[in-house]
Amino acid sequence: MAQESSIPSPHEWGVGCRFSLYPMCDDFTGVILGALREADGTGLEVETDDVSTYVGGDERAILRYVCDVVAAASRRTGHVVAHLLLSRGCPGEVTCELGDDDAPPPASALPALPPTGVRAAAHWSLYPLGVTGHMDTIAAAVTSADTLTGSVHYASRLDGDLAEVLTTIGAGWVEAGAHVRHVVTHATVSVGSPTVREVLA
Amino acid sequence: MAQESSIPSPHEWGVGCRFSLYPMCDDFTGVILGALREADGTGLEVETDDVSTYVGGDERAILRYVCDVVAAASRRTGHVVAHLLLSRGCPGEVTCELGDDDAPPPASALPALPPTGVRAAAHWSLYPLGVTGHMDTIAAAVTSADTLTGSVHYASRLDGDLAEVLTTIGAGWVEAGAHVRHVVTHATVSVGSPTVREVLA
């Protein structure tokens, strides 16, 4: 990790994630705990409460960890959904310790995550904050999204291997963050769905 | 509904919601479908796909419907989580049909939802978009949040009756929208949790 010594810490730049894992099964607690134990959280700050899990660390490590947790959960049961909130550029909770004119935080490199063999569908939304012209930033990110398969109200649809979908989400978040300091992105990522769409049709 | 005739339609102003319901049980499909059938969606546009459900309508009707669906699901099983994305002021999907200088959309009145008897905990985040000084708007909303019990990274914690928690979220969304055209808010709302926090401690 020596090559990353110049990258500010997550605490300095507010880089991190909140995520929740929803295994749709009676043994949801066993699936969640097993998946969290199986995934490698080395170097990350992981704090779980009764609503969601905070993961602090660099962008690459966060995405790898979330991918590992969701893939591990999907191997333990059928239908699992994860909801992710990724944030960078705003340390603190209600207030922010950075000035409005501070430059965006530099990002760690984000190589594509290795394939999981798990098929995922996601609704993804990107929020460049504290700037005007946010729709242009969003449109640029969506246009270059590798796994884009459509759009719905308030979100873009992504389909692909779980790793590809999370790589797309991470890339959009970090690329928007190259010129916008505070960028948050949310995604609902579903694996193993029995395709409720057909049930409801 | 005659008194609301001057309020622009959701389609004109992009007022709506995406939400997902996660009953943590083997019969999740039955719980979801039963809850959606039981709740009264009169006057709302409801479209469900395999990832989430779009609800178009005025703010009051959306919040009442989401509250009814989550309460109905909680009566059918133990632990249920809902994730909400509420948006106003940006019609369309990737692009927006409103000009940056357009005034914020007027909101329907948001009386407190009737109590459900269901206890809820939420992580709530507010995103005023397309403006500078967004942290001031967020801080004002959080400071006046009735069910606020704490803050975590990237979110405020709310606890109370499900109806109180959703009323808080709706009020923050609409009040921020009084002076910011495009406001999105996300919330993870958990009911019936076995308190995973203790399991993990």
Side-chain angles (χ1 to χ4, degrees), chain A residues 11-137:
Chain A
H11 280 299
E12 284 178 286
W13 286 116
V15 177
C17 171
R18 294 206 80 81
F19 87 106
S20 304
L21 193 63
Y22 306 119
M24 249 68 85
C25 61
D26 292 348
D27 182 33
F28 64 93
T29 303
V31 172
I32 292 171
L33 296 178
L36 290 174
R37 274 191 220 107
E38 193 177 322
D40 180 8
T42 304
L44 291 168
E45 182 184 359
V46 180
E47 292 170 9
T48 296
D49 68 18
D50 56 329
V51 180
S52 64
T53 294
Y54 167 72
V55 184
D58 76 28
E59 295 85 349
R60 177 174 48 188
I62 289 168
L63 286 160
R64 189 207 61 218
Y65 179 73
V66 169
C67 189
D68 286 354
V69 171
V70 178
S74 82
R75 285 191 294 271
R76 291 165 183 267
T77 188
H79 182 30
V80 179
V81 179
H83 189 88
L84 279 70
L85 178 173
L86 297 161
S87 182
R88 59 199 310 277
C90 195
E93 291 164 4
V94 174
T95 58
C96 182
E97 294 145 25
L98 294 178
D100 280 342
D101 295 331
D102 283 11
S108 60
L110 277 187
L113 293 162
T116 61
V118 176
R119 188 90 188 156
H123 284 172
W124 170 49
S125 303
L126 184 67
Y127 306 118
L129 290 155
V131 293
T132 56
H134 64 296
M135 294 305 292
D136 296 337
T137 303

Side-chain angles (χ1 to χ4, degrees), chain A residues 14 16 18 22 24 26 33 48 50 52 83 93-94 123 127 130 134-135 151 153-154 157 182 186 188 200, chain B residues 14 16 18 22-23 25-26 33 48 50 52 83 93-94 123 127 131 134-135 151 153-154 157 182 186 188 200:
Chain A
R18 294 206 80 81
Y22 306 119
M24 249 68 85
D26 292 348
L33 296 178
T48 296
D50 56 329
S52 64
H83 189 88
E93 291 164 4
V94 174
H123 284 172
Y127 306 118
H134 64 296
M135 294 305 292
S151 66
H153 289 298
Y154 320 130
R157 169 138 190 157
H182 187 190
H186 278 256
T188 299
L200 290 167
Chain B
R18 293 205 81 81
Y22 307 119
C25 61
D26 291 348
L33 295 178
T48 296
D50 57 329
S52 64
H83 190 88
E93 292 164 3
V94 174
H123 285 171
Y127 306 118
V131 293
H134 65 297
M135 294 305 292
S151 67
H153 289 298
Y154 320 131
R157 168 136 191 159
H182 187 189
H186 279 256
T188 300
L200 289 165

Side-chain angles (χ1 to χ4, degrees), chain B residues 74-89:
Chain B
S74 82
R75 285 191 294 269
R76 290 164 183 267
T77 188
H79 182 30
V80 179
V81 179
H83 190 88
L84 280 70
L85 178 173
L86 297 161
S87 183
R88 60 200 308 277

